[in-house]
Amino acid sequence: MDDRVLALCELSNDLLFHKIPRERLAYYVDASLEAGRNAARLFLGQDVRELYRQNGIEIRYAGSGKQNYGVILRGQSVMEEARCEVVVYQDSIRELAAHSAWEGRSLTPEQALDVHLAHEFFHIWEYRERRSIAEELEPVVSMSFLGLRRRVHINRCGEIAAHAFAKELLGLPFLPNFYDYRYLIDTGAMTQADMDHLIACMEEVAV
């Protein structure tokens, strides 16, 4: 699965996706992917859990990440000046692994955990470096009235960068959100036909 297509799938989840001019979609996708890959190159060859130890980031384990309205969390991050920690919901991580099968292969629970840890490590790295990939990219006009324009940043660009970081660091075959879609399909929250339609739409605008 092409990185740009999966990145566009992620971008399409942004509430302001419809505000991005079609000719600017490639800018947001390519810049976000490159930012994540560049960050990962700073840590290539290092074990993600060792990175947590070296950087004083605590990993805490909890049971279920089930929330109201059917939302399932795989973890939560706490980022403060004094400490950073990641809470991992083990049941949710195991569920992701159990429903990640693709062409006879699937993630192990340990691999699914590493994917989550790598993703969250990127966000903590952003926080500690006093930077935000989303805010570094050009804002889009969300509202225009009487000559006044309101410009906002596309937050999902940070998620795309985190996906690219995890893929590069861990040597994954796809951006990690690929496994999120496999989970949705395997649990019946999304049909394969819906996924095929999404991919076709994103392939069309990826050109």
Side-chain angles (χ1 to χ4, degrees):
M1 185 72 66
D2 183 73
D3 282 359
R4 295 179 87 224
V5 171
L6 283 170
L8 278 164
C9 290
E10 182 67 53
L11 193 64
S12 71
N13 292 320
D14 197 287
L15 293 175
L16 296 172
F17 179 73
H18 65 290
K19 295 290 185 178
I20 304 174
R22 177 167 175 161
E23 67 272 14
R24 297 294 285 160
L25 288 172
Y27 162 74
Y28 290 102
V29 163
D30 293 340
S32 301
L33 289 171
E34 189 62 19
R37 291 164 183 158
N38 287 339
R41 292 180 186 119
L42 301 173
F43 307 101
L44 280 183
Q46 301 184 61
D47 178 81
V48 66
R49 301 187 206 196
E50 182 59 29
L51 286 176
Y52 272 69
R53 287 189 287 271
Q54 292 174 1
N55 289 274
I57 306 169
E58 182 181 354
I59 303 173
R60 289 201 298 113
Y61 295 94
S64 174
K66 291 184 178 179
Q67 306 290 308
N68 294 329
Y69 310 110
V71 175
I72 298 178
L73 300 177
R74 298 195 182 112
Q76 297 186 77
S77 295
V78 176
M79 288 177 272
E80 300 173 347
E81 288 291 334
R83 71 184 180 100
C84 289
E85 72 172 23
V86 173
V87 178
V88 175
Y89 296 112
Q90 293 175 291
D91 291 349
S92 299
I93 294 293
R94 283 192 287 265
E95 279 286 297
L96 173 64
H99 296 285
S100 64
W102 173 252
E103 295 185 346
R105 294 180 296 173
S106 60
L107 295 173
T108 67
E110 289 296 297
Q111 289 171 329
L113 175 58
D114 283 349
V115 169
H116 179 73
L117 292 177
H119 186 103
E120 294 305 316
F121 183 87
F122 174 81
H123 290 309
I124 293 173
W125 174 81
E126 276 189 304
Y127 172 77
R128 288 184 168 177
E129 291 292 313
R130 302 289 194 276
R131 64 184 300 189
S132 165
I133 301 306
E135 292 180 5
E136 289 177 4
L137 301 182
E138 296 174 11
V140 299
V141 176
S142 65
M143 183 182 301
S144 182
F145 180 71
L146 297 178
L148 299 176
R149 292 185 175 185
R150 180 172 181 261
R151 298 179 182 274
V152 295
H153 294 283
I154 304 298
N155 291 327
R156 286 282 172 170
C157 289
E159 293 303 299
I160 294 170
H163 290 326
F165 177 89
K167 180 190 175 186
E168 188 83 6
L169 183 71
L170 302 175
L172 300 173
F174 313 107
L175 291 187
N177 61 326
F178 173 83
Y179 298 106
D180 293 326
Y181 286 116
R182 295 310 310 163
Y183 171 86
L184 292 173
I185 293 169
D186 205 45
T187 57
M190 183 181 196
T191 67
Q192 185 63 54
D194 288 337
M195 183 62 188
D196 292 342
H197 177 70
L198 175 62
I199 293 297
C201 290
M202 294 304 105
E203 286 177 338
E204 182 179 343
V205 299
V207 178

